Amino acid sequence: MTKLIKKIFNNLLKPHRIPIKLFIKLNYYLKCKNYNQDLFENEQNSIFNSLGMNREHGIKNLDLIKKNLGKTLEVKSDMSSEHEVIFSSLSINKSFSIIDILEIGTFDGFNSLLLSNLFPNSKIDTIDLPEEDENFINFYNRKNKVEEFTIKRNRILSKKKNVNFFPLNSLKLLKHKKKYDLIWIDGAHGYPIVCIDIINSLHLINEGGIIICDDIYLNLSKNNSDNMYHSIASYETLNELKKQNVINFTLVYKRINKKNNCIESKRKFVAIVRKI
């Protein structure tokens, strides 16, 4: 109730914005009502097929893996991300040989755990900022619970012997020598960090390897961009590299449920990148 009262009060302070907010909500409602999820589901399946992956088989495999981890798979839920389906589809395709994996952005450790189960014969290096780093402390609501967060993360990471965690700023990968078959980029999403992460990954990927970038925005204005969560930086960087024939990349919808995908300007994608 307190939040509702605060929201009403803030709206009364700026009455000129009320019509704009009503228009935005009405537009969202109409877009949701007319959203055809089956259409996007079919398109997503076709994108996977064009990349030599079977999405439906990937979903079935992911479901089994998640059940073993005590998790429920809900592909059409609000927070379900298709990057997990990509990983799963890659893991069951014998055309892809994935042994060495690099994850840029460990977060809570669950994605590393998932990768270790999907690719049990792999070696996974996962990096994240040291816990004393200001950005690590201040982002993702960790300011007053860094110790609690890192204890839980480390507990998850310790469950698998093929996962190695390194507290490392990703910019230092410039000096890294090891090569990888699969690189997952999910660190800071804005300039200059994600741009450098992509360039470093191109130097670290093996011939025929795959780089996957999370949270790609196509229609985000620079005024609405930030350094960590929302930015056009990944898309602009990938486009420039493609123009110079350095890479090819394909965009996959990150989520296909109507809540996240019905407004075109707010859609997020995952980029699958191959070096030329």
Side-chain angles (χ1 to χ4, degrees):
M1 182 61 72
T2 306
K3 286 185 179 179
L4 178 60
I5 293 172
K6 187 176 180 181
K7 192 172 184 179
I8 293 171
F9 180 73
N10 287 334
N11 283 330
L12 291 174
L13 288 176
K14 299 177 181 179
H16 63 286
R17 292 194 59 82
I18 293 177
I20 298 173
K21 290 183 177 181
L22 288 174
F23 173 78
I24 291 172
K25 286 189 177 296
L26 179 61
N27 181 53
Y28 177 75
Y29 170 77
L30 292 173
K31 293 284 188 181
C32 278
K33 185 178 179 181
N34 295 320
Y35 184 76
N36 187 338
Q37 187 154 323
D38 290 336
L39 187 68
F40 283 91
E41 191 98 29
N42 292 333
E43 184 182 352
Q44 190 84 317
N45 288 338
S46 296
I47 296 170
F48 271 66
N49 290 338
S50 71
L51 294 167
M53 297 184 291
N54 189 307
R55 181 173 175 269
E56 293 175 339
H57 291 174
I59 290 171
K60 290 179 182 178
N61 181 55
L62 182 61
D63 187 31
L64 291 173
I65 295 293
K66 282 206 160 185
K67 282 179 179 176
N68 290 335
L69 295 173
K71 299 283 186 178
T72 302
L73 175 62
E74 297 178 7
V75 175
K76 296 183 181 182
S77 73
D78 290 347
M79 290 307 293
S80 174
S81 176
E82 289 281 308
H83 79 270
E84 295 182 344
V85 182
I86 296 171
F87 292 148
S88 179
S89 300
L90 285 172
S91 73
I92 59 176
N93 190 322
K94 294 182 180 179
S95 300
F96 301 104
S97 178
I98 296 175
I99 302 299
D100 291 299
I101 300 173
L102 172 64
E103 177 183 52
I104 301 174
T106 311
F107 190 52
D108 63 3
F110 180 76
N111 194 67
S112 299
L113 182 63
L114 179 64
L115 285 169
S116 69
N117 281 271
L118 289 169
F119 302 94
N121 297 319
S122 68
K123 298 175 183 176
I124 301 164
D125 293 339
T126 180
I127 69 168
D128 211 327
L129 294 170
E131 59 189 80
E132 65 273 10
D133 187 285
E134 285 188 12
N135 285 334
F136 185 88
I137 294 169
N138 292 322
F139 288 110
Y140 294 106
N141 299 315
R142 288 185 290 226
K143 191 166 187 178
N144 297 315
K145 49 184 178 182
V146 169
E147 185 177 3
E148 177 187 355
F149 180 89
T150 53
I151 288 173
K152 288 182 179 179
R153 179 200 65 193
N154 294 343
R155 188 181 298 130
I156 290 173
L157 293 174
S158 67
K159 292 181 179 180
K160 288 291 181 177
K161 292 183 179 179
N162 62 334
V163 177
N164 296 305
F165 171 70
F166 300 95
L168 182 74
N169 188 311
S170 63
L171 298 185
K172 294 184 178 180
L173 288 173
L174 182 64
K175 300 178 181 179
H176 206 59
K177 301 297 182 184
K178 185 176 177 179
K179 298 283 188 175
Y180 298 92
D181 305 305
L182 175 64
I183 299 178
W184 169 238
I185 302 176
D186 191 20
H189 296 327
Y191 284 115
I193 304 300
V194 75
C195 178
I196 298 171
D197 284 346
I198 291 170
I199 298 300
N200 282 338
S201 295
L202 289 172
H203 288 293
L204 297 175
I205 198 72
N206 275 323
E207 190 72 27
I210 300 170
I211 300 169
I212 305 177
C213 303
D214 197 22
D215 291 331
I216 308 291
Y217 286 91
L218 309 190
N219 300 300
L220 196 67
S221 70
K222 291 185 178 180
N223 290 334
N224 292 325
S225 294
D226 57 59
N227 290 333
M228 181 58 70
Y229 304 112
H230 314 94
S231 179
I232 196 73
S234 294
Y235 188 54
E236 289 186 332
T237 302
L238 294 174
N239 263 326
E240 287 303 314
L241 290 167
K242 185 176 181 179
K243 285 179 185 177
Q244 299 303 318
N245 294 317
V246 176
I247 64 165
N248 280 321
F249 72 93
T250 302
L251 295 176
V252 173
Y253 293 107
K254 181 178 174 69
R255 297 186 176 95
I256 55 175
N257 62 83
K258 63 183 178 182
K259 179 179 178 180
N260 291 288
N261 215 43
C262 70
I263 303 295
E264 186 175 355
S265 62
K266 293 188 176 181
R267 283 176 193 156
K268 289 197 288 187
F269 296 81
V270 176
I272 300 176
V273 184
R274 305 295 288 267
K275 185 165 66 170
I276 297 175

